[in-house]
């Protein structure tokens, strides 16, 4: 479970979050909804420990997320940003190996096999492993990052606009995988404008 309580956060003198409280529970898909500029991305980044709050707090399984514990707690969660940027020359395989280093007790080989199984569901070509991540389409980047996230031994999944830029079939597959992850016990938190994904959520928060 991940919770943010009474969060206030200003960026560039503009108040983005104002006394926001939200709980994403284990075994549930929680959707943060709202238009562009409503603060969805900021909220998710704050809950992932990537943006410091002016006031308020974040807890993971009731334990306070603070500078001394941030690295440990971030290892318990998987985060997919809305805009995915990695070094231009890094291949998909190199990115996977980099991310898998901290994912004990699973071996890289075990994780890669799980990712490969997901690639079939996500309609991803095996040849993409050798491509540079920067050369991929937005759709390919999102689906590949989702496959990496879902092979990680993390019980919190945070995804920012996970179906944006996908075809209807691709988006439906992503919705199903996120829904399945929640059903299997993870706390799944998404920011989305996707009405179909919103309709599948166990809980919704409007910004």
């Amino acid at each position: 479970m991940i919770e943010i309580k009474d969060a206030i956060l200003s960026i560039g003198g503009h108040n983005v979050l104002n006394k926001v409280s939200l709980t994403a529970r284990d075994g549930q898909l929680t959707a943060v909804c709202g238009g562009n500029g409503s603060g969805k991305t900021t909220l998710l980044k704050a809950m992932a420990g990537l943006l410091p709050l002016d006031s308020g707090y974040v807890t993971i399984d009731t334990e306070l997320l603070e500078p001394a514990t941030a690295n440990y707690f971030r290892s318990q969660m998987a985060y997919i940003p809305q805009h995915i940027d990695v070094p231009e020359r890094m291949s998909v395989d190199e990115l996977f190996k980099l991310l898998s280093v901290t994912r004990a007790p699973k071996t890289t080989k075990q994780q890669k096999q799980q990712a490969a199984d997901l690639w079939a569901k996500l309609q991803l070509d095996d040849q993409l492993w050798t491509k540079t991540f920067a050369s991929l389409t937005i759709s390919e980047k999102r689906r590949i990052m989702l496959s990496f996230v879902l092979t990680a031994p993390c019980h919190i999944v945070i995804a920012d606009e996970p179906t944006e830029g996908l075809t209807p079939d691709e988006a439906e597959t992503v919705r199903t995988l996120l829904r399945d992850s929640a059903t299997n016990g993870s706390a799944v938190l998404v920011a989305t404008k996707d009405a179909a994904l919103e309709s599948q959520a166990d809980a919704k928060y409007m910004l």
Side-chain angles (χ1 to χ4, degrees):
M1 179 178 75
I2 182 168
E3 180 178 31
I4 192 167
K5 185 72 173 177
D6 297 330
I8 296 177
L9 196 158
S10 297
I11 298 176
H14 174 63
N15 184 243
V16 182
L17 303 179
N18 185 23
K19 302 290 283 188
V20 171
S21 296
L22 168 67
T23 302
R25 302 185 183 280
D26 295 345
Q28 292 190 352
L29 172 62
T30 302
V32 178
C33 311
N36 292 334
S38 61
K40 300 189 302 298
T41 293
T42 299
L43 176 59
L44 263 58
K45 285 184 175 180
M47 294 183 74
L50 300 174
L51 286 176
L53 297 173
D54 298 331
S55 66
Y57 60 88
V58 176
T59 60
I60 310 291
D61 297 332
T62 73
E63 296 291 331
L64 190 65
L65 176 66
E66 53 189 351
T69 61
N71 286 338
Y72 169 76
F73 281 127
R74 276 200 291 268
S75 73
Q76 307 302 304
M77 66 178 75
Y79 172 65
I80 306 175
Q82 182 177 11
H83 302 293
I84 306 167
D85 295 311
V86 301
E88 287 190 5
R89 295 186 180 182
M90 181 174 286
S91 71
V92 173
D93 188 57
E94 289 170 337
L95 176 61
F96 177 80
K97 290 176 180 176
L98 178 65
L99 294 174
S100 68
V101 167
T102 60
R103 291 177 179 173
K106 292 182 181 180
T107 66
T108 299
K109 184 177 180 180
Q110 288 172 322
Q111 292 177 58
K112 191 165 185 178
Q113 182 56 57
Q114 286 184 295
D117 293 341
L118 286 172
W119 277 35
K121 294 180 180 179
L122 291 164
Q123 304 172 50
L124 290 165
D125 192 316
D126 286 346
Q127 293 183 355
L128 294 177
W129 283 104
T130 60
K131 301 288 187 181
T132 61
F133 195 82
S135 71
L136 306 181
T137 66
I138 291 175
S139 172
E140 289 168 340
K141 289 179 180 179
R142 290 199 192 287
R143 286 178 287 148
I144 285 172
M145 287 302 296
L146 180 64
S147 75
F148 290 177
V149 160
L150 294 182
T151 61
C154 300
H155 68 284
I156 297 171
V157 176
I158 301 175
D160 195 352
E161 301 290 357
T163 59
E164 185 178 68
L166 274 58
T167 68
D169 285 347
E170 292 166 354
E172 183 57 31
T173 300
V174 167
R175 293 185 205 107
T176 298
L177 290 173
L178 291 170
R179 179 70 261 174
D180 288 348
S181 182
T183 299
N184 290 333
S186 295
V188 180
L189 176 64
V190 300
T192 186
K193 298 187 293 292
D194 180 347
L197 184 54
E198 288 181 32
S199 70
Q200 295 182 19
D202 299 295
K204 289 191 287 186
Y205 185 91
M206 293 298 301
L207 281 177

